[in-house]
Amino acid sequence: MNVITLFKKLLTFKSITPNDDKAMEFIKEYLNDFEIIECEKEGVKNLFLYKKFGEGEHLCFGGHIDVVPPGEGWKSDPFTPTEKDGFIYARGAQDMKSGVAAFLWALKNVCDFNGTLSALITSDEEGDAKYGTKYMLEILKEKNLIPDFAIVAEPTCEKVFGDAIKIGRRGSINGYLTLKGLQGHAAYPEKSINPIHQIAPILSKIAGYDLDEGDEYFCASKIVITDIRAGMQVTNVTPGILKMMFNVRNNTHTDKEKIRKFFEKNFKGLNYTLELKQSAEAFVTNPDTKVVKILDKAIEKHTNVKPKHSTAGGTSDARFFAKYGIKVVEFGVKNDTIHAPNERTTAEEVSKLADIFAETIIMFADANA
């Protein structure tokens, strides 16, 4: 089975989060000479397949089989791969069954290695991710199977295939501020405490504020206000409470404590509460790390493109690998139609991605020889 046939087969599974639609059973049959660890919790299925060739380093490929709902506006059946004008259309074509197909094919066709090769696949990356990759890594730690390196096959390329890999991701911190005043009649403002008036002079100091300067890998951590609401939608009552929500896509220089101190400084003397929730943590993998340097070489060899090192975008399961000290990077096909109707990629990109992953495995083996 070539990689395109494999890719098209994966696209037929209606694996909308967290349902895998029996895709995991197919993958187990495909990599039938690999050892298997699987778990299921709260409807989420996770599969870890591994083969130990020797006592060397452990290289893992990570991915998700689940996809977002297809939505409206498709010109073809989103779960029937359709070829037209050089593209393959289907839900998950870019995000990320192309990546899963590529690394499964590479693992299937590897002849030798001097360490451990593995694949970690979940059915809950597009959802809450609570019982997906994060949960499986907890199990792997108990079994002493935590990888040394990982490549997550998310779509990373921007304009042409091979132009970008992700060596890190920003974190995400959600903020919930409640500013308490005293409700009253608009005709007697001296008898009330209007939280809208209190926050008005502060907004210019916090809205869009950069909490740090960023660095060569990350842009600044910016406060983005997403919602402010107060009052009863009438003109003659001043509100007693104002609620504001904001988000900070933070880099490694800003954390919850830094944000908390910033708000303490700007809201000093006011009656407020602040809740901060970290939904994803920032990480960066040193570009001089073995997995980055080898992947760079493999990409350039097969595409004649030198990839840039990026940390742009939202979050991914790579953050869970990084938390265990695993040197993790992301690389996959071009990212321009993910989650959209008529999601698509090309057979050429998927084939080259598989070749790059196979080349990466070979280079790892040579480096360890």
Side-chain angles (χ1 to χ4, degrees):
M1 183 184 297
N2 65 38
V3 69
I4 300 305
T5 302
L6 172 61
F7 175 47
K8 289 180 178 178
K9 177 63 178 178
L10 293 178
L11 290 173
T12 65
F13 292 103
K14 297 180 180 180
S15 51
I16 299 172
T17 311
N19 178 30
D20 77 312
D21 194 31
K22 298 186 179 178
M24 298 297 200
E25 292 300 317
F26 169 78
I27 292 170
K28 286 192 293 183
E29 292 176 9
Y30 181 76
L31 286 186
N32 55 21
D33 57 339
F34 277 58
E35 298 292 322
I36 296 171
I37 298 174
E38 53 188 327
C39 65
E40 181 175 354
K41 187 170 183 179
E42 301 294 329
V44 175
K45 291 185 178 179
N46 301 295
L47 182 62
F48 183 74
L49 306 107
Y50 68 102
K51 181 186 282 190
K52 188 173 183 179
F53 295 84
E55 298 301 322
E57 294 167 323
H58 181 172
L59 173 63
C60 177
F61 290 88
H64 62 90
I65 201 66
D66 63 310
V67 297
V68 297
E72 302 295 328
W74 284 80
K75 296 179 181 178
S76 59
D77 185 335
F79 294 104
T80 300
T82 302
E83 291 192 66
K84 184 179 180 182
D85 299 328
F87 291 97
I88 299 174
Y89 292 82
R91 174 56 83 220
Q94 287 186 340
D95 190 12
M96 60 169 288
K97 291 181 180 181
S98 49
V100 173
F103 69 64
L104 289 177
W105 182 89
L107 292 171
K108 178 76 171 179
N109 289 278
V110 67
C111 296
D112 196 16
F113 197 66
N114 53 5
T116 299
L117 289 173
S118 66
L120 195 166
I121 305 169
T122 184
S123 72
D124 186 28
E125 193 273 348
E126 300 290 5
D128 294 336
K130 187 176 181 180
Y131 301 116
T133 298
K134 178 182 179 182
Y135 182 59
M136 177 55 88
L137 284 167
E138 293 171 3
I139 294 172
L140 295 183
K141 183 178 181 181
E142 294 174 359
K143 296 181 179 292
N144 198 29
L145 282 171
I146 289 292
D148 299 296
F149 304 96
I151 299 173
V152 178
E154 289 280 0
T156 59
C157 298
E158 298 173 0
K159 295 182 179 179
V160 297
F161 178 67
D163 66 0
I165 68 173
K166 293 194 187 296
I167 61 167
R169 291 273 190 165
R170 296 176 298 173
S172 181
I173 299 173
N174 296 315
Y176 307 86
L177 180 135
T178 300
L179 183 58
K180 300 176 183 178
L182 178 64
Q183 182 177 314
H185 197 296
Y188 303 96
E190 70 278 3
K191 296 181 179 181
S192 62
I193 301 174
N194 191 330
I196 297 177
H197 290 184
Q198 288 183 318
I199 203 171
I202 300 173
L203 279 177
S204 61
K205 300 176 183 178
I206 64 174
Y209 182 81
D210 290 340
L211 292 156
D212 54 58
E213 297 181 353
D215 58 29
E216 59 183 312
Y217 305 120
F218 291 102
C219 60
S221 303
K222 186 183 295 291
I223 297 175
V224 178
I225 296 174
T226 57
D227 188 87
I228 299 178
R229 61 188 63 200
M232 303 164 63
Q233 296 188 341
V234 295
T235 60
N236 59 349
V237 180
T238 59
I241 291 178
L242 178 145
K243 293 186 177 182
M244 182 181 79
M245 293 190 289
F246 63 91
N247 177 262
V248 177
R249 295 299 167 121
N250 67 299
N251 58 40
T252 53
H253 302 292
T254 290
D255 56 16
K256 289 194 297 183
E257 186 58 28
K258 187 172 184 177
I259 296 171
R260 191 177 303 280
K261 288 181 179 179
F262 177 77
F263 274 80
E264 285 177 357
K265 175 184 175 182
N266 284 281
F267 285 81
K268 185 177 181 180
L270 299 181
N271 185 9
Y272 78 97
T273 60
L274 177 65
E275 182 181 8
L276 297 172
K277 293 183 178 180
Q278 181 104 43
S279 59
E281 295 185 13
F283 74 92
V284 64
T285 297
N286 191 314
D288 289 328
T289 302
K290 181 177 180 179
V291 67
V292 180
K293 295 174 76 173
I294 287 178
L295 186 57
D296 276 345
K297 290 179 181 177
I299 293 168
E300 195 163 1
K301 178 178 179 179
H302 287 272
T303 66
N304 292 318
V305 176
K306 185 176 179 61
K308 72 175 183 180
H309 298 156
S310 170
T311 61
T315 61
S316 77
D317 277 1
R319 69 190 190 273
F320 300 128
F321 286 92
K323 198 165 186 178
Y324 285 86
I326 301 165
K327 306 304 181 186
V328 59
V329 295
E330 300 173 56
F331 179 66
V333 298
K334 195 161 66 173
N335 175 345
D336 60 357
T337 61
I338 66 169
H339 295 199
N342 305 302
E343 182 179 353
R344 67 185 191 178
T345 189
T346 66
E348 182 183 11
E349 286 188 42
V350 178
S351 296
K352 284 187 176 181
L353 183 60
D355 289 340
I356 288 168
F357 286 158
E359 187 76 39
T360 298
I361 293 171
I362 293 169
M363 287 183 175
F364 253 88
D366 290 344
N368 292 337

